Amino acid sequence: MTNIKIIPNDVVLKLNFRFYTAQQFIYTITILNSKTGQTISKSQGQWDGKTSFQLGKAKDLLGNLLTINWTIIDLAGRGKNINAEAIVTQNNKECLNHISCMGTTKNTTSNIPTSGKFIKASYSFS
């Protein structure tokens, strides 16, 4: 699990995806209450479509979990590197610690779960 460092304020956090390899990436993004496990929000996107999402106010997300379930399709076959990132931004600046999706493709669809927890940063954007 990745710790995503944020400043708990009224700024809306954004999640952006970057893809470094040519596979087809499809993903489901879920924000979960870390104490109850209850789903707060859920969205979906893919490499050639929606790659930017608004997550909510930073102060409301502090302590909660961000899970990303990646589905990777490699039409060229198996044995190729997978590399993509999910990057949370606050005030148009990247928060420390990105969620990475890395590995090697197989000859079938690959499913890779990743997660992060929103924690309080010890810095400010001033």
Side-chain angles (χ1 to χ4, degrees), residues 26-83:
I26 302 162
Y27 34 84
T28 300
I29 302 151
T30 308
I31 297 177
L32 298 168
N33 180 304
S34 61
K35 294 178 183 169
T36 66
Q38 180 180 6
T39 298
I40 296 170
S41 68
K42 194 171 198 171
S43 302
Q44 293 181 322
Q46 63 187 46
W47 85 104
D48 65 346
K50 188 164 182 170
T51 59
S52 184
F53 300 83
Q54 291 192 356
L55 300 177
K57 291 182 181 180
K59 68 181 184 182
D60 298 334
L61 294 171
L62 188 65
N64 291 320
L65 303 174
L66 170 64
T67 65
I68 303 171
N69 291 308
W70 307 75
T71 300
I72 299 98
I73 301 168
D74 184 0
L75 299 176
R78 63 180 184 171
K80 299 194 179 187
N81 290 332
I82 301 166
N83 191 356

Side-chain angles (χ1 to χ4, degrees), residues 54-114:
Q54 291 192 356
L55 300 177
K57 291 182 181 180
K59 68 181 184 182
D60 298 334
L61 294 171
L62 188 65
N64 291 320
L65 303 174
L66 170 64
T67 65
I68 303 171
N69 291 308
W70 307 75
T71 300
I72 299 98
I73 301 168
D74 184 0
L75 299 176
R78 63 180 184 171
K80 299 194 179 187
N81 290 332
I82 301 166
N83 191 356
E85 280 186 305
I87 301 157
V88 175
T89 62
Q90 185 173 15
N91 290 338
N92 295 318
K93 296 183 183 190
E94 293 182 9
C95 296
L96 287 180
N97 303 328
H98 304 168
I99 296 177
S100 296
C101 177
M102 298 172 68
T104 305
T105 59
K106 302 172 184 167
N107 58 0
T108 60
T109 301
S110 299
N111 294 297
I112 301 174
T114 57

